[in-house]
Amino acid sequence: MNRFQILITMAASTNINKDTNKMKARLMQECEDLWLDVNKLQAQVASTAQDGPVDEGNPMMSISEVKIKALKGQLATENEREHVLLPTDPETLRALLREELESSIQQLEQTLEVIQGQRRELEDEVKWEQQVLHQQKQMQATLQNKVTMARNMSKASKTSLEADLTTTKTRMEKEIMRIMKELKYFSKKHFPHPDATDSDAIQSPNSPTDSNVLPLLDVLENFMNQSVEKEDTPYIEIDDTYWPPYIELLLRCGVLQRHEQNSNLLRLTPFHFKF
């Protein structure tokens, strides 16, 4: 509330029983005096020099000029704004003040809700960051313990560990050789290499037309080697060296899988993912 409004409010609250015409005349005279003061200030501001860089010799004068320019802008804004006279009735004034206060309270409550929501979000984020920090500290402590144990491991313990690993490696290599021998014996016994000169093969419509087809054991070895040595590209493109009956048999048994987009590409079924 500006000075003009305060004066009207004071006059309305203290001089309710006085003559209305005299009160209006006095208020109008005060308003005219105030406007004269404003015009004088505006004329003084307009006559001052324009703002520029701060003078190192007299910085206070430069700062004062900047302040005068800001006041000039405020005066121009006040002159353009429409001034509304407040009613002289005390009840009406109280009603207006109550309405303004309720509006201000409502705006402040909305602002408070927004700030509280932002605070809750920040609190949740802080809790999450604390949990992540706690987990990282636990991981760091575990890793430090492992590093300490590894450093404190004696030479004899290292030698024993290397011996155990070597023994395990040798045992696994023997197991692999045994399985390969059994697979070789099984494939040769039950799935001999097809020969075009064989009378049964000639009579069979699915028999190969040349002797370049791979035995079943070689087919399995190729797919196993491809799966182990080239994990990124485990697929093999089928050509004439792969006999179709063998491929169909391996597909039906679930040993091989086709590529989803290219049926000529096959791979060994990843059995280690099924356990």
Side-chain angles (χ1 to χ4, degrees):
M1 185 178 293
N2 54 27
R3 182 179 177 184
F4 175 68
Q5 294 174 345
I6 294 173
L7 290 173
I8 293 177
T9 304
M10 292 175 61
S13 60
T14 55
N15 300 319
I16 296 176
N17 297 324
K18 292 183 178 181
D19 185 44
T20 304
N21 294 329
K22 292 182 179 180
M23 181 179 62
K24 288 183 178 180
R26 184 169 58 83
L27 290 175
M28 292 298 297
Q29 184 63 36
E30 290 181 358
C31 290
E32 291 179 359
D33 295 338
L34 288 174
W35 280 114
L36 289 175
D37 294 338
V38 171
N39 292 331
K40 290 180 180 180
L41 291 174
Q42 187 174 2
Q44 293 178 1
V45 171
S47 63
T48 56
Q50 298 295 327
D51 296 333
V54 177
D55 188 5
E56 296 181 356
N58 192 359
M60 296 302 298
M61 181 62 69
S62 299
I63 295 173
S64 299
E65 291 177 356
V66 174
K67 290 182 178 180
I68 291 172
K69 183 176 180 181
L71 292 174
K72 180 179 178 181
Q74 293 179 1
L75 288 173
T77 303
E78 291 293 333
N79 290 332
E80 293 178 357
R81 188 175 64 181
E82 182 180 359
H83 296 279
V84 180
L85 295 177
L86 295 175
T88 58
D89 186 9
E91 296 295 333
T92 306
L93 287 174
R94 281 195 292 269
L96 291 175
L97 290 174
R98 186 182 299 107
E99 183 179 356
E100 291 181 0
L101 288 175
E102 291 177 353
S103 178
S104 300
I105 291 172
Q106 185 178 3
Q107 294 178 358
L108 292 174
E109 288 177 350
Q110 293 177 356
T111 305
L112 180 61
E113 290 179 358
V114 174
I115 294 175
Q116 288 177 349
Q118 294 177 353
R119 179 180 178 181
R120 287 192 294 268
E121 292 179 358
L122 291 175
E123 288 177 352
D124 294 339
E125 186 176 356
V126 169
K127 290 180 180 178
W128 182 78
E129 293 289 345
Q130 289 177 350
Q131 292 178 357
V132 173
L133 179 61
H134 181 66
Q135 294 176 357
Q136 291 180 351
K137 287 183 177 180
Q138 289 181 343
M139 293 176 60
Q140 182 181 6
T142 303
L143 293 175
Q144 287 180 351
N145 291 334
K146 290 184 178 180
V147 171
T148 303
M149 292 175 62
R151 290 178 177 175
N152 295 334
M153 186 181 297
S154 61
K155 185 177 180 180
S157 300
K158 293 181 180 180
T159 304
S160 177
L161 179 61
E162 292 176 357
D164 293 341
L165 292 175
T166 303
T167 303
T168 303
K169 180 181 178 181
T170 303
R171 187 173 66 253
M172 295 303 298
E173 289 178 350
K174 290 181 180 179
E175 184 67 17
I176 292 174
M177 293 300 296
R178 184 187 65 80
I179 294 174
M180 292 301 296
K181 287 181 180 179
E182 291 182 358
L183 180 60
K184 183 177 181 180
Y185 173 78
F186 179 82
S187 62
K188 285 185 177 181
K189 180 179 180 181
H190 299 283
F191 301 96
H193 185 272
D195 189 0
T197 60
D198 184 65
S199 59
D200 294 335
I202 294 174
Q203 293 175 359
S204 176
N206 295 327
S207 61
T209 57
D210 53 46
S211 59
N212 293 329
V213 295
L214 297 174
L216 180 61
L217 181 62
D218 293 345
V219 173
L220 293 173
E221 288 182 353
N222 289 343
F223 280 102
M224 287 189 292
N225 293 333
Q226 185 77 9
S227 177
V228 174
E229 296 175 358
K230 299 180 180 180
E231 296 182 359
D232 296 335
T233 56
Y235 289 93
I236 296 178
E237 186 174 2
I238 302 302
D239 53 19
D240 296 337
T241 59
Y242 292 90
W243 195 30
Y246 283 167
I247 301 299
E248 185 66 24
L249 173 65
L250 296 176
L251 287 172
R252 288 177 178 272
C253 295
V255 178
L256 299 182
Q257 291 181 347
R258 289 190 185 274
H259 194 274
E260 296 179 355
Q261 299 178 356
N262 190 351
S263 60
N264 290 328
L265 296 177
L266 299 178
R267 65 164 294 173
L268 185 69
T269 300
F271 296 100
H272 56 289
F273 289 156
K274 295 185 177 182
F275 299 97

